[in-house]
């Protein structure tokens, strides 16, 4: 028998009628303190911002297939009064080390930084939207709007056309969106903020109007002299994906029947990614039809580059010139 | 443009920095009007510093204490080169909301230093991209002053 008394009258009926609760075989709990988020499960209710959010699931780390783990600090919820779906992000501080080639960099999960980014980009369609409110003990809970859309990378990977058609018909539009994404990152950098986790699966194409939108801003790094270096690396990786429609490691070239040893033998260490050296940035060696100016931009992210990009604006200007040169 | 012998030297405890100070001593040791400011700029604490219980004042005190040792060493090098002790000033600054090189350039502009000196570490392109290079930043933004980059 469920005790409904912890839940106020104004949401009790909606809670009782919710399909998830009907199937729940335990007492739903009301959380006003989200510190121990591992205790908060399906069917529980989180009370923040004078709103009651029913937990209906948890988001998962999106890109790594079988390793997908639910992120318990990121519950999917329904606002019991409005019926709107949201994603909550609960405070979870952690740090860990990532390896980029021979370099080790400490990465921090920083709810505070994400709150600052959300404040800055409120109303800006290039970014996911949300706001932060303290729970009963001061944990900053981020209430995020759900973007109805699809991941940029999966959308592009599914395009059924050959490279020639992709270059002619799809790439101009995609790169136009990419330039807008760069403008978004330049806005953050101008305000001393970094995105922190720029990856191709952290761009969602909004299903309503096709806008490409950045998500997930809670990573931070400690690179005092080059605070935006990893954002730049991420942007280079995304551009490589957009131009090549996938990433190519040397082993991928070897295993590709159309390239194989013939193309592999032309590759040099200078063609690889500057830091991780795991993927080929000299894309024209694999895709000779790629316009040279695009390839020249990519080469700024390669081991062999004589000139490194110092800031996103330089990448933006170069790419904009390429678009005019190639597509007019 | 400030007078060339109003010299700002960016210092830390690393050998390239001490080499730069020795070089300044050799070049400026005989100049009567020379005035030298030894500047140590240090970064803000890591992002999780306060969340993990760190106290910013303690961090700053620790960095300043470390800088004092560097200043002593550098001052001795300069005095040994013939520079008057009264001509040497020392300053420590945290790079708040800025990079170390931006802070260095700000101090340069504020003090109207005609010369800025830094040591140069030998680093790879990848290291430079990720961790930055004060000497490269100095060379890139050198305007209205002279930069001495001592390798």
């Amino acid at each position: 028998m469920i005790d409904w008394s912890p839940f106020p009258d104004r949401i009790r009926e909606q809670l009782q009628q919710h399909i998830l609760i009907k199937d729940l075989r335990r007492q739903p709990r009301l959380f006003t303190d989200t510190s121990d988020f591992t205790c908060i499960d399906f069917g529980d209710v989180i009370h923040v911002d004078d709103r009651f959010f029913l937990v209906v699931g948890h988001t998962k780390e999106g890109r790594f297939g079988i390793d997908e783990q639910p992120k318990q600090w990121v519950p999917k919820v329904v606002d019991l009064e409005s019926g709107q779906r949201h994603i909550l992000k609960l405070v979870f501080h952690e740090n860990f080390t990532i390896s980029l080639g021979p370099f080790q960099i400490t990465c921090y999960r920083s709810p505070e930084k994400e709150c600052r980014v959300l404040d800055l980009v409120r109303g800006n369609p290039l970014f996911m939207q949300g706001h932060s409110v303290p729970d009963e003990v001061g944990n900053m809970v981020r209430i995020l709007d759900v973007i109805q859309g699809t991941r940029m990378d999966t959308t592009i990977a599914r395009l059924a056309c050959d490279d020639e058609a992709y270059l002619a018909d799809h790439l101009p539009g995609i790169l136009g969106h990419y330039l807008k994404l760069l403008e978004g990152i330049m806005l953050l950098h101008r305000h001393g903020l970094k995105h922190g986790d720029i990856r191709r699966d952290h761009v969602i194409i909004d299903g309503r109007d096709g806008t490409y939108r950045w998500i997930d801003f809670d990573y931070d790094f400690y690179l005092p002299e080059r605070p935006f270096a990893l954002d730049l690396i991420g942007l280079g990786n995304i551009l490589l994906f957009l131009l090549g429609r996938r990433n190519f490691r040397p082993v991928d070239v070897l295993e590709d029947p159309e390239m194989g040893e013939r193309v592999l033998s032309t590759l040099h260490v200078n063609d690889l990614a500057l830091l991780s050296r795991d993927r080929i940035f000299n894309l024209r060696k694999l895709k000779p039809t790629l316009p040279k100016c695009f390839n020249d931009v990519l080469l700024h992210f390669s081991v062999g580059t004589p000139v490194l990009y110092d800031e996103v604006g330089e990448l933006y200007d170069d790419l904009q010139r390429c678009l005019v040169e190639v597509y007019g | 443009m400030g007078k060339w012998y109003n010299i700002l030297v960016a210092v830390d405890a690393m050998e390239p920095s001490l080499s730069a100070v020795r070089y300044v001593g050799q070049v400026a040791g005989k100049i009567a009007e020379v005035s030298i400011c030894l500047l140590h700029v240090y970064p803000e604490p890591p992002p999780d510093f306060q969340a993990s219980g760190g106290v910013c004042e303690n961090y700053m005190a620790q960095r300043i204490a470390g800088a004092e040792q560097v200043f002593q060493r550098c001052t001795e090098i300069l005095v040994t080169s013939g520079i008057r002790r009264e001509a040497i000033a020392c300053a420590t600054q945290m790079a708040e909301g800025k990079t170390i090189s931006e802070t260095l350039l700000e101090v340069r502009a504020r003090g109207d230093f005609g010369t800025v000196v830094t040591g140069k570490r030998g680093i790879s392109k990848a290291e430079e991209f990720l961790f930055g290079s004060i000497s490269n930043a100095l060379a890139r933004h050198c305007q209205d002053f002279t930069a001495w980059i001592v390798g």
Side-chain angles (χ1 to χ4, degrees):
Chain A
M1 193 67 185
I2 289 178
D3 172 14
W4 298 103
S5 65
F7 302 98
D9 291 345
R10 62 191 248 219
I11 55 141
R12 197 173 292 163
E13 191 182 337
Q14 293 92 318
L15 186 61
Q16 287 168 338
Q17 297 304 317
H18 198 281
I19 188 160
L20 191 93
I21 294 294
K22 286 182 174 172
D23 290 340
L24 198 66
R25 295 283 176 267
R26 64 169 177 82
Q27 171 72 40
R29 295 161 298 177
L30 181 65
F31 285 87
T32 53
D33 173 355
T34 59
S35 303
D36 191 0
F37 56 77
T38 56
C39 290
I40 305 174
D41 209 346
F42 298 88
D44 291 330
V45 175
I46 296 171
H47 180 206
V48 286
D49 200 25
D50 199 25
R51 295 156 79 183
F52 292 86
F53 295 102
L54 173 65
V55 176
V56 296
H58 290 94
T59 58
K60 290 181 178 168
E61 190 60 62
R63 207 174 71 177
F64 304 110
I66 54 170
D67 293 325
E68 281 184 7
Q69 293 290 327
K71 297 194 274 192
Q72 283 215 276
W73 67 97
V74 193
K76 296 177 180 175
V77 298
V78 174
D79 181 329
L80 282 168
E81 287 177 289
S82 70
Q84 281 205 317
R85 287 178 171 268
H86 291 277
I87 291 170
L88 299 189
K89 276 181 133 174
L90 309 177
V91 168
F92 175 32
H93 286 112
E94 63 168 344
N95 61 54
F96 47 92
T97 302
I98 58 166
S99 294
L100 274 171
F103 306 110
Q104 306 267 304
I105 296 163
T106 307
C107 174
Y108 304 85
R109 191 179 295 284
S110 171
E112 298 79 12
K113 194 211 88 180
E114 186 159 69
C115 294
R116 290 199 294 276
V117 172
L118 287 170
D119 284 346
L120 176 69
V121 303
R122 186 156 302 147
N124 187 327
L126 297 172
F127 295 89
M128 76 174 183
Q129 295 292 299
H131 67 284
S132 317
V133 288
D135 70 6
E136 191 182 64
V137 296
N139 295 308
M140 291 309 286
V141 176
R142 284 139 287 157
I143 303 171
L144 305 175
D145 297 344
V146 175
I147 302 173
Q148 300 294 344
T150 52
R151 272 171 40 180
M152 175 190 72
D153 57 345
T154 51
T155 305
I156 287 171
R158 282 190 197 128
L159 289 171
C161 60
D162 61 19
D163 280 355
E164 198 180 334
Y166 178 74
L167 274 171
D169 303 333
H170 297 284
L171 196 58
I174 289 169
L175 290 180
H177 286 293
Y178 178 74
L179 282 176
K180 299 297 287 180
L181 290 172
L182 294 186
E183 287 174 17
I185 298 303
M186 286 154 67
L187 171 77
L188 298 187
H189 291 184
R190 275 200 302 279
H191 287 81
L193 291 165
K194 49 183 99 77
H195 180 290
D197 197 12
I198 291 184
R199 314 187 323 203
R200 63 181 199 242
D201 61 325
H202 280 170
V203 176
I204 303 293
I205 302 177
D206 194 318
R208 295 169 309 171
D209 60 6
T211 305
Y212 286 31
R213 304 177 69 178
W214 291 113
I215 62 167
D216 279 9
F217 322 125
D218 60 347
Y219 273 16
D220 207 351
F221 297 94
Y222 188 56
L223 294 170
E225 183 58 22
R226 293 276 293 160
F228 307 124
L230 287 183
D231 274 2
L232 255 171
I233 287 290
L235 292 170
N237 288 340
I238 290 181
L239 181 62
L240 179 68
F241 175 80
L242 297 181
L243 294 173
R245 304 172 72 185
R246 55 166 289 194
N247 290 334
F248 292 92
R249 299 165 299 161
V251 66
D252 299 322
V253 173
L254 186 63
E255 288 171 358
D256 186 315
E258 289 185 17
M259 293 190 280
E261 183 61 37
R262 176 183 59 82
V263 174
L264 188 72
S265 64
T266 68
L267 294 176
H268 188 272
V269 66
N270 282 349
D271 300 325
L272 300 175
L274 174 66
L275 298 179
S276 58
R277 299 191 175 195
D278 61 344
R279 60 193 86 176
I280 299 158
F281 267 77
N282 196 349
L283 200 56
R284 242 162 87 93
K285 286 193 175 176
L286 320 183
K287 293 176 178 280
T289 56
L290 182 74
K292 181 177 178 302
C293 60
F294 287 144
N295 201 59
D296 289 343
V297 174
L298 288 180
L299 290 179
H300 283 290
F301 297 96
S302 71
V303 173
T305 183
V307 180
L308 304 161
Y309 281 131
D310 207 34
E311 50 191 52
V312 179
E314 296 167 350
L315 166 63
Y316 182 92
D317 291 344
D318 279 358
L319 195 59
Q320 203 171 36
R321 272 194 293 273
C322 291
L323 275 168
V324 172
E325 184 182 323
V326 176
Y327 299 110
Chain B
M1 184 162 169
K3 295 184 173 67
W4 79 265
Y5 45 78
N6 188 18
I7 301 173
L8 181 67
V9 190
V11 293
D12 60 23
M14 309 293 278
E15 181 51 36
S17 175
L18 299 176
S19 293
V21 173
R22 281 186 211 105
Y23 184 82
V24 170
Q26 286 162 15
V27 172
K30 303 284 188 290
I31 310 292
E33 307 96 318
V34 74
S35 94
I36 294 171
C37 178
L38 301 171
L39 173 69
H40 177 70
V41 183
Y42 60 93
E44 289 181 300
D48 69 337
F49 183 76
Q50 278 173 316
S52 56
V55 178
C56 198
E57 284 73 19
N58 295 348
Y59 169 80
M60 291 169 74
Q62 201 176 4
R63 297 304 297 242
I64 290 168
E68 289 300 331
Q69 293 180 5
V70 175
F71 292 151
Q72 276 178 22
R73 228 170 137 191
C74 295
T75 302
E76 287 315 311
I77 292 170
L78 293 173
V79 169
T80 306
S81 308
I83 293 169
R84 289 175 297 113
R85 204 172 280 274
E86 310 82 73
I88 304 166
C90 300
T92 310
Q93 190 159 334
M94 182 160 80
E96 281 186 86
K98 298 182 184 68
T99 64
I100 290 169
S101 56
E102 284 168 349
T103 307
L104 173 63
L105 290 165
E106 263 189 20
V107 172
R108 201 284 321 158
R110 253 196 336 262
D112 199 24
F113 293 96
T115 305
V116 182
V117 188
T118 184
K120 181 169 170 54
R121 299 169 293 157
I123 57 170
S124 68
K125 258 185 296 190
E127 282 174 288
E128 185 193 331
F129 183 85
L130 205 47
F131 304 113
S133 157
I134 307 297
S135 54
N136 279 8
L138 206 53
R140 179 182 266 242
H141 298 288
C142 178
Q143 204 172 10
D144 297 329
F145 68 93
T146 305
W148 295 353
I149 295 167
V150 182

